[in-house]
Structures are given as structure tokens and as C-alpha cells.
């Protein structure tokens, strides 16, 4: 009986050692962010970027002040914006997002377009901003997904 208890205790101790052994976790693939050229739309600075992690691509657009306000001058008035973000790979849509927002002098980020893209493919992204009396002038990005 004593032997059985000792064997059971050693078995439990062995399981405890195995359970406590460190588990190897693979490092996540590094992300890189690439942006197209800046543009001026609705009196604001805009850009479209692609964040690539392995074969996963997420597009995002940003709109912010084109420069700092004049010293001692008033801040720009809040401005209602209609923002459009879209993307495709060889004509196949990665999605599109339309977002309404009021710009109040803080950068706005629009995201939600992307997916898995085969390496070597070229993604195309577009971001535009409409505001009353200011026409949209889309900014774009074309990026080859590295292998």
C-alpha cells in the first residue's frame, strides 16, 4: 500500500513538472506600416496607409490639421466630414467604409478595410474626404505585399 502511494505521488509530481515546463510561443509576425503621400482635402491633411502583418493587410485613412494654428489665432471651427476608405487587389474588393464625423482639431482615423492577400500581390487603397464647399481629392496607395 505504501508503495502504491509513493508511486502515485511520484506520478503526480512528474505531471506537475511537465505542466510547469515553459511553453514555446511563436513570435508574432512583425507589422509594417506604409503610407501614401499626404494630400489636402477640405482644408485638412489626409493620408492613406497599409499595415501589413505577414499576408494580412489592413488599410486606414487619417485626417488631421494641415499645420498648427496661427499663434494667438482662433482654432479652426468644427467641420462636418464625410470620409470614404476603400481597397482592392487586382480589382477584387477588400471592402469599403463610409464614415461621417465632425472634425474638431484632433486626428480622425478611419479603418475597417483589409484581409488576407497573397504575397506578391499589389493592393490599392483610396481615402477621400468631403465637406461642404470642398470637393474630395482622394489620396491613394499602391503597395506590393512582400514574400
Amino acid at each position: 500500500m505504501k508503495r502504491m502511494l509513493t508511486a502515485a505521488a511520484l506520478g503526480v509530481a512528474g505531471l506537475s513538472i511537465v505542466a510547469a515546463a515553459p511553453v514555446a510561443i511563436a513570435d508574432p509576425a512583425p507589422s509594417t506600416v506604409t503610407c501614401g503621400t499626404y494630400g489636402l482635402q477640405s482644408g485638412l491633411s489626409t493620408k492613406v496607409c497599409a499595415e501589413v502583418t505577414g499576408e494580412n493587410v489592413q488599410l486606414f485613412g487619417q485626417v488631421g490639421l494641415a499645420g498648427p494654428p496661427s499663434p494667438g489665432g482662433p482654432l479652426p471651427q468644427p467641420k462636418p466630414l464625410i470620409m470614404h476608405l476603400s481597397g482592392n487587389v487586382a480589382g477584387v474588393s477588400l471592402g469599403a467604409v463610409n464614415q461621417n464625423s465632425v472634425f474638431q482639431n484632433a486626428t480622425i482615423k478611419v479603418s475597417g478595410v483589409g484581409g488576407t492577400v497573397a504575397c506578391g500581390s499589389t493592393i490599392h487603397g483610396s481615402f477621400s474626404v468631403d465637406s461642404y464647399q470642398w470637393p474630395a481629392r482622394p489620396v491613394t496607395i499602391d503597395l506590393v505585399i512582400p514574400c
Side-chain angles (χ1 to χ4, degrees):
M1 178 81 164
K2 201 173 198 181
R3 265 190 221 180
M4 287 176 51
L5 288 176
T6 304
L10 287 175
V12 169
L15 287 175
S16 297
I17 292 171
V18 170
V23 176
I25 298 174
D27 289 334
S31 290
T32 58
V33 174
T34 304
C35 297
T37 57
Y38 286 84
L40 292 176
Q41 299 181 64
S42 300
L44 300 169
S45 174
T46 59
K47 67 179 176 178
V48 62
C49 303
E51 181 175 9
V52 180
T53 306
E55 292 183 348
N56 184 21
V57 177
Q58 294 298 313
L59 295 171
F60 64 91
Q62 283 188 314
V63 60
L65 289 173
S70 299
L75 288 175
Q77 292 296 311
K79 184 182 292 196
L81 302 176
I82 303 168
M83 297 166 286
H84 311 278
L85 175 66
S86 63
N88 69 69
V89 177
V92 177
S93 178
L94 290 172
V97 173
N98 296 313
Q99 180 177 321
N100 296 340
S101 188
V102 176
F103 182 79
Q104 297 185 351
N105 307 317
T107 299
I108 298 172
K109 184 176 180 180
V110 177
S111 57
V113 173
T116 301
V117 177
C119 75
S121 299
T122 300
I123 60 159
H124 174 78
S126 178
F127 180 62
S128 65
V129 177
D130 294 315
S131 184
Y132 179 70
Q133 295 183 341
W134 293 88
R137 295 177 50 201
V139 289
T140 61
I141 185 170
D142 291 297
L143 180 68
V144 176
I145 304 305
C147 290

